[in-house]
């Protein structure tokens, strides 16, 4: 049994992974470089400072990594305002139902500005007892830092947490933190089999994942 749930955001709660790729590719194209699936795989799970440094090196245009990050993040915030970042089917019900039984946290590779904007925009921010961006810890996914920070913020031991992830590096990070891993495999960016092997449960159906989470939560904290 578990005492808390820690969700990833991109690809788990909202459909946004393709927008990050779109923005990285557009930034590179403006500087005469072609960004492809290989580059996207390399940066998935990285914190914003990490992928901004990678993208800046890839473009080789002499920009500062902070300038690169701001340009891409501005694009994501605009995409949200334009209604392009929607909750995935069943995500709201999954958040609401689990938050009624146990404390819920977010451990995301998205920067703080995007996390806060997305949760408030969709009216689910009040369900989260803690939110952590991987930009606020030493290392992004697949390192466990962001998940360990979320567990600390909840005051719950990592081994008593359920972690819900969609990507290879996210699954690896949650497993490295010692959490019980639940996979919602991203169909557009399928996780590697070695990463999926760490999952105690996997399903592409948010309602099925919700039911699994509820079955594993101990409302008494015992």
């Amino acid at each position: 049994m578990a005492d808390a749930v820690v969700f990833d955001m991109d690809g788990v709660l909202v459909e946004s992974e393709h927008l990050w790729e779109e923005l990285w590719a557009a930034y590179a194209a403006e500087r005469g470089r072609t960004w492809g699936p290989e580059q996207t795989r390399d940066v998935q799970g990285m914190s914003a400072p990490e992928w901004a440094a990678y993208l800046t090196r890839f473009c080789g245009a002499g920009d500062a990594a902070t300038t690169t990050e701001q340009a891409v993040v501005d694009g994501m915030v605009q995409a949200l305002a334009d209604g392009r970042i929607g909750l995935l089917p069943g995500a709201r019900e999954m958040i609401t139902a689990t938050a009624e039984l146990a404390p819920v946290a977010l451990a995301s590779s998205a920067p703080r500005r995007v996390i806060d904007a997305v949760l408030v925009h969709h009216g689910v921010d009040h369900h989260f007892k803690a939110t952590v961006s991987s930009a606020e810890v030493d290392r992004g996914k697949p390192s466990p830092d962001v998940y360990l920070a979320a567990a600390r913020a909840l005051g719950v031991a990592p081994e008593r947490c359920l972690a819900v992830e969609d990507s290879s590096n996210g699954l690896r990070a949650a497993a490295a933190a010692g959490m019980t891993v639940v996979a919602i495999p991203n169909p557009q960016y399928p996780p590697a089999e070695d990463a999926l092997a760490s999952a105690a449960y996997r399903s592409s159906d948010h309602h099925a994942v919700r039911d699994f989470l509820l079955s594993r939560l101990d409302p008494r904290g015992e």
Side-chain angles (χ1 to χ4, degrees):
M1 300 300 289
D3 298 327
V5 180
V6 184
F7 291 107
D8 176 42
M9 187 175 78
D10 295 303
V12 168
L13 303 183
V14 293
E15 190 169 8
S16 50
E17 295 278 23
H18 66 292
L19 294 173
W20 287 111
E21 183 175 43
E22 177 184 306
L23 290 162
W24 292 326
Y27 188 91
E30 289 169 0
R31 288 152 184 82
R33 298 299 305 275
T34 300
W35 181 278
E38 179 183 353
Q39 286 72 44
T40 297
R41 283 193 297 270
D42 284 347
V43 302
Q44 276 186 325
M46 286 185 179
S47 68
E50 290 169 339
W51 60 246
Y54 179 106
L55 177 56
T56 301
R57 289 193 302 271
F58 179 80
C59 291
D63 296 335
T66 52
T67 301
T68 302
E69 179 182 340
Q70 181 172 340
V72 174
V73 171
D74 284 350
M76 283 299 287
V77 172
Q78 186 60 52
L80 178 66
D82 292 342
R84 299 183 65 200
I85 304 179
L87 285 173
L88 285 159
R92 185 182 302 277
E93 295 85 349
M94 181 175 67
I95 297 166
T96 303
T98 52
E100 288 176 353
L101 276 188
V104 170
L106 191 80
S108 174
S109 297
R112 168 59 54 189
R113 184 177 160 208
V114 175
I115 290 172
D116 291 347
V118 167
L119 297 184
V120 170
H121 178 86
H122 289 294
V124 295
D125 53 304
H126 62 287
H127 291 301
F128 291 88
K129 301 297 184 185
T131 59
V132 184
S133 166
S134 58
E136 297 163 350
V137 296
D138 289 339
R139 301 169 297 174
K141 302 170 184 178
S143 295
D145 301 28
V146 69
Y147 276 102
L148 294 174
R152 285 195 299 272
L154 291 178
V156 177
E159 60 269 20
R160 296 289 294 180
C161 293
L162 297 160
V164 187
E165 268 287 357
D166 70 307
S167 68
S168 294
N169 283 338
L171 292 163
R172 292 174 181 131
M179 297 185 178
T180 298
V181 182
V182 178
I184 303 180
N186 191 314
Q188 191 171 355
Y189 307 97
E193 281 302 319
D194 72 284
L196 277 172
S198 67
Y201 181 79
R202 70 174 82 170
S203 176
S204 58
D205 184 333
H206 279 66
H207 296 294
V209 171
R210 176 201 62 199
D211 291 344
F212 177 80
L213 296 174
L214 296 179
S215 75
R216 295 296 297 268
L217 286 171
D218 187 347
R220 299 167 298 173
E222 298 176 358

